Amino acid sequence: MEKRFWQMCFLGAFILSGSFSAFCAGNSVASSSGQGDHSGEPVYVFSRQWLDIEQLMLEENGQDKNEQLLGMLRDFRASLEDLIETPLYQTYRFNSLFHKETMNRLFAASANFEEAVLQGRQEELPALALDMNEALNNWQEQDAEVADAIHLRYFNQFFILTAVISLLALAIWLLNRALAHSQVRAEQSAAFSQAIVLAQEDERSRISRELHDTVAQDLRAQALRIAGLKRVEDRTEQAALCDELAATQRGLVDSIRAICDGLFPPDFRYQGLGDALDRLCREFGERTGIDCRLTLREDPRYTDMDTTAQLQCFRLVQEALTNIEKHAEASEAAVVLRWEEDTLLICISDNGKGFTVSPSRENPAIYAAGHFGIRGMYTRTAILRGSLRFESERGEGTTVIIRAPFPREAPRP
């Protein structure tokens, strides 16, 4: 659909450009043709008329030679007068390259030549003819300059219109593309919101199951044991039951604490990022059986990070480990943190089955497949103003690479 829209924009630009070109060509022809008998280039038409007059002037004297010259001169002057009324002369008139003295000189030269013929001053005719030729040559040069200026103006108008149409088509295409991207983002946001609601419901269900299967069952069993304690008269047996009830009580406390730890993030005011990640990796290995190793060197820059940044880094590692647990089918995992100048590099790798990396994180197929955790990782990386990259092939495991800049503040003087 987008390709077809782009083709239609260019087709419209081509049609409009062709129409304007034809319009310019028509105007050029109209301005050159004028009206009446002045078809083609008027300067050359008058030059041919004057050439006929000169040929007649050079012929031997005859009875009707002067009458013929006078008749041709009157036609020549009438043609000049008709030319003044044509649109072509108006084009000349308003063009700075044309000088009015040129037409005045033509009229004056033709009038002087006609007067010499009437008075029979044949010896002056060649000099007057040269004066007329000079005036015609001057007109011809100015006509060429005016024509070039007019054609250049039409070309500039055509070029400007073509550029405007092209820019308009490009703007429409960019707007259409932006609208398409906005629509895709809106669909992704709607899907992400739906996924958040479903994730909340799943989390509530998980908490409910854990409370029911652990805490509620242990409390029910403990209630039965307390009720049976009244019927036991032997003190030794009562002491054993009390010890068992105390152990059950401690187990309930540990179960509730584990559920709370899973719900609440670490408090980075009282522990560092390294301690939180060490505990996360250790509990991950105990829960899943996956050998998870943490490599992290002590560095004062970890303590310089604010609690929000530490929490985002912690959640990124936690989400990556969750993906390993759910999808990787791995036996080993590694978490590495190190500093590269003012950038924190976090790498989480596994030896699992891997997957085909999408060429763009904006690919809706990632979210359609239910991998909304990946989008959450991109969101957290954006909060850190960092970058996130996946390196994976099927059967070769997966490596998640996160780079987050933490520029040091300049020391105060």
Side-chain angles (χ1 to χ4, degrees), residues 167-186:
L167 291 175
L168 181 61
L170 180 61
I172 294 174
W173 177 73
L174 291 176
L175 179 60
N176 181 69
R177 185 180 181 185
L179 290 175
H181 281 296
S182 299
Q183 184 177 1
V184 171
R185 290 179 181 274

Side-chain angles (χ1 to χ4, degrees), residues 331-381:
S331 59
E332 296 179 358
V335 179
V336 179
L337 279 77
R338 69 169 183 266
W339 288 93
E340 295 180 348
E341 296 182 353
D342 293 337
T343 300
L344 177 60
L345 174 66
I346 306 175
C347 295
I348 307 99
S349 59
D350 65 76
N351 63 345
K353 62 182 181 180
F355 66 97
T356 301
V357 179
S358 172
S360 171
R361 73 180 180 92
E362 297 295 342
N363 189 349
I366 294 179
Y367 314 123
H371 298 169
F372 287 93
I374 295 179
R375 182 170 183 177
M377 294 178 69
Y378 275 109
T379 302
R380 294 184 185 279
T381 306

Side-chain angles (χ1 to χ4, degrees), residues 173-205:
W173 177 73
L174 291 176
L175 179 60
N176 181 69
R177 185 180 181 185
L179 290 175
H181 281 296
S182 299
Q183 184 177 1
V184 171
R185 290 179 181 274
E187 294 175 356
Q188 292 176 358
S189 298
F192 190 53
S193 300
Q194 182 180 2
I196 290 176
V197 173
L198 295 176
Q200 290 175 344
E201 294 298 328
D202 291 341
E203 186 67 13
R204 291 171 181 172
S205 299

Side-chain angles (χ1 to χ4, degrees), residues 54 222 278 315:
E54 284 186 331
Q222 192 171 18
D278 181 69
R315 290 302 190 194

